[in-house]
Amino acid sequence: MLTQASPVRIGSKVFTESVILGELAKAIAGQAGVDAVHQRELGGTSILWKALQQGDIDVYSEYTGTITHELLKNVAPDADIPTLRERLKPLGIGITNSLGFNNTYAIGMLADKAAQLHISKLSDLAAHPDLRFGFSNEFIDRTDGWPGIRQRYGLPQTQVRGLDHALAYRAVASNAVDAIDLYSTDAEIPYYHLRTLDDDHHYFPRYEAVYLYRLALVKSAPAFVTALQKLAGRIDENTMRQMNAKVKLQGAKEDVVVAAFLGIRADTSADAGLWSRLLQTSIDHIKLVVLSLGMAVLLAIPLGILAARLKRLGQLVIGLTGILQTVPSLAMFVFMIPIFGIGTWPAIAALFLYSLLPIVRNTHAGLVGIAPELRESAAALGLPRGVRLRRVELPLATRSILAGIKTAAVINVGTATLAALIGAGGYGQPILTGIRLDNISLILEGAIPAALLALLAQGLFEGIERWLTPRGLRLEARQ
């Protein structure tokens, strides 16, 4: 059996159903006497799959259509679960039987608008090229998503926007878009009076809900695997939709909904109040910023000095750090997962790389911007090169260097909110949950402290700048 030192690690994606199923796995682990932790809202399919393969998590809920189209190669789109089990086994991954429901993709529109345009099936969309589509970012890129459905149905639409799945419902309800992708068990479908368009060319495969788990659990936590397998067939589509509705529309907590489904009492002893949550997210966020920024300062200032001394090398250094800055934030976090896994360290590594450019560039600019006569005067005094750097050049460049560090710190505070997508916590966690649950209070719980921390960082470095800048330079700046 697993001990307290090695609990089963359960992951979930950033949508409500996945979080509920993650809580369900945690609850049945508790019933089986196995310690488990739920790492919520870790991101999309690719992040969870990589984390499972690398051993950063032990189990998460998935769908058969996603496995056949996204995770495994050379597998028939309609492959059954026994076939998938055989294909996953060499990877060290096991799969349960279907939990009992098919949560397939679908395309939906407001029922009134669909009736007005006489649209009831996907093939009808071809006659309306001006329709605006708002699809989840993952659906836009998936082989079983927009690229394939556009080809199968010959759809001419070009106005396709990427949206967060939870926000897409608001967009279609406010007529910002005309059609969105749905999960068939989404509680919002009846709530927003949407019509699910008939897949008349039978494009979408079945997406039977299952759990993927590391086969190592069969030996380390056999009771948990047995309990997980016993969930097969227990959740039909209507039951899942009702659980989604209780969380998303009625504001119930996922663990409470799961406890009601299992017929047990929810454990609320670990529920944290606002100030406890805020303290923990603040600690997590500040740790990410401080560690990544400190590491960047230790490397970036020497690189900036080197760039100022060696012109050609300097252009290369600034160019390379500039390229790092162009990599999208979420992509950078994902790139770190194969190296560091999920959690704090891949986030710190990504933030460290983002911090380099402002500090390197400002250190370089501060040193090359020193007046030539000042350099010549220091050399005429016979000061060694190292002494000139420490006593003359760096003090003169202090304001520029600190401005670069301040810029990097402020950028890090904001970018670190995305670290919640790979399990690093911080202010991004309540923001993600708030977006998923359409809860403004939770969004503000992360957004306001993040903004305040950015202002605090800016003020702190401005104070350090005044303290470290020689008095004569401060007087000169005032004049």
Side-chain angles (χ1 to χ4, degrees):
M1 294 288 289
L2 289 179
T3 66
Q4 291 292 327
S6 54
V8 172
R9 297 155 300 174
I10 302 163
S12 61
K13 302 182 187 181
V14 287
F15 62 95
T16 296
E17 183 168 293
S18 183
V19 177
I20 292 173
L21 294 177
E23 283 295 313
L24 178 58
K26 180 182 176 182
I28 65 105
Q31 287 184 311
V34 176
D35 189 23
V37 293
H38 180 195
Q39 296 176 265
R40 303 157 61 102
E41 301 167 298
L42 290 180
T45 299
S46 62
I47 292 178
L48 271 294
W49 176 242
K50 288 179 182 178
L52 184 69
Q53 289 183 296
Q54 293 183 192
D56 293 311
I57 60 174
D58 299 305
V59 59
Y60 81 98
S61 63
E62 193 50 276
Y63 303 90
T64 54
T66 299
I67 297 171
T68 58
H69 284 72
E70 291 291 304
L71 304 185
L72 297 180
K73 296 179 180 179
N74 302 318
V75 177
D78 58 350
D80 58 16
I81 290 178
T83 300
L84 296 180
R85 184 171 288 121
E86 288 301 314
R87 292 297 307 273
L88 289 165
K89 187 175 181 180
L91 302 176
I93 306 298
I95 181 174
T96 66
N97 289 327
S98 171
L99 300 181
F101 67 94
N102 170 35
N103 185 10
T104 187
Y105 269 122
I107 304 297
M109 299 179 62
L110 290 174
D112 290 345
K113 188 160 194 171
Q116 178 184 353
L117 297 176
H118 305 289
I119 297 174
S120 61
K121 53 188 183 296
L122 289 178
S123 58
D124 294 336
L125 295 173
H128 302 275
D130 294 332
L131 288 177
R132 302 158 299 164
F133 292 163
F135 296 146
S136 61
N137 293 295
E138 186 170 337
F139 183 81
I140 287 177
D141 295 327
R142 289 171 61 119
T143 56
D144 56 340
W146 170 239
I149 200 171
R150 177 177 56 188
Q151 182 177 6
R152 173 70 66 88
Y153 283 93
L155 300 182
Q157 286 78 9
T158 58
Q159 299 183 66
V160 181
R161 300 181 183 180
L163 297 173
D164 179 85
H165 183 70
L167 299 179
Y169 287 98
R170 278 194 171 191
V172 74
S174 62
N175 287 309
V177 296
D178 300 309
I180 62 174
D181 61 304
L182 312 170
Y183 304 142
S184 59
T185 55
D186 281 349
E188 294 92 339
I189 295 174
Y191 179 81
Y192 285 103
H193 306 292
L194 300 182
R195 171 182 287 179
T196 301
L197 304 183
D198 181 40
D199 182 13
D200 50 321
H201 290 179
H202 307 291
Y203 171 73
F204 292 118
R206 289 188 65 80
Y207 289 81
E208 296 290 339
V210 295
Y211 283 105
L212 296 180
Y213 60 92
R214 292 181 61 81
L215 287 175
L217 290 179
V218 174
K219 292 184 177 181
S220 61
F224 171 69
V225 175
T226 299
L228 204 64
Q229 294 283 9
K230 288 182 178 179
L231 287 174
R234 290 186 59 185
I235 310 173
D236 59 30
E237 190 168 325
N238 186 55
T239 299
M240 192 68 247
R241 188 180 293 114
Q242 288 178 2
M243 287 197 285
N244 287 334
K246 288 177 182 178
V247 172
K248 190 68 185 286
L249 304 180
Q250 300 173 24
K253 292 185 177 181
E254 294 89 351
D255 57 343
V256 174
V257 171
V258 164
F261 169 76
L262 293 175
I264 61 176
R265 177 174 294 182
D267 181 11
T268 59
S269 59
D271 289 350
L274 171 61
W275 294 109
S276 296
R277 295 197 308 269
L278 188 58
L279 175 62
Q280 186 58 55
T281 53
S282 296
I283 291 172
D284 292 341
H285 208 89
I286 291 171
K287 180 169 67 174
L288 293 174
V289 173
V290 170
L291 289 178
S292 60
L293 186 64
M295 292 164 57
V297 168
L298 292 176
L299 179 62
I301 292 179
L303 285 178
I305 294 171
L306 192 64
R309 290 281 173 84
L310 304 173
K311 187 174 181 180
R312 290 186 178 179
L313 182 61
Q315 292 175 344
L316 177 62
V317 169
I318 293 176
L320 289 176
T321 54
I323 291 173
L324 291 173
Q325 199 77 19
T326 65
V327 178
S329 304
L330 184 55
M332 184 71 82
F333 286 125
V334 173
F335 291 156
M336 296 297 110
I337 292 176
I339 304 172
F340 299 102
I342 61 172
T344 300
W345 287 108
I348 289 175
L351 294 171
F352 158 77
L353 294 175
Y354 276 125
S355 301
L356 293 177
L357 178 62
I359 304 173
V360 169
R361 186 170 55 191
N362 277 45
T363 301
H364 172 269
L367 292 173
V368 300
I370 296 173
E373 55 269 23
L374 292 177
R375 295 179 184 275
E376 293 168 1
S377 298
L381 291 173
L383 297 176
R385 194 171 185 178
V387 175
R388 293 202 303 268
L389 176 65
R390 294 193 307 272
R391 298 292 182 86
V392 178
E393 295 174 0
L394 285 178
L396 290 173
T398 295
R399 294 171 64 186
S400 179
I401 295 171
L402 286 173
I405 297 174
K406 177 174 65 178
T407 300
V410 173
I411 291 173
N412 270 13
V413 170
T415 306
T417 57
L418 293 175
L421 286 168
I422 55 172
Y427 294 136
Q429 194 63 58
I431 292 175
L432 285 176
T433 304
I435 291 173
R436 175 173 63 81
L437 299 178
D438 198 14
N439 187 321
I440 299 299
S441 296
L442 278 175
I443 295 173
L444 294 178
E445 185 179 315
I448 291 177
L452 293 176
L453 183 60
L455 291 174
L456 179 62
Q458 180 170 328
L460 175 64
F461 282 104
E462 287 177 354
I464 294 174
E465 178 184 339
R466 287 193 297 271
W467 177 54
L468 291 181
T469 302
R471 186 170 182 272
L473 292 179
R474 292 203 302 268
L475 293 174
E476 180 181 330
R478 292 173 185 172
Q479 295 173 356

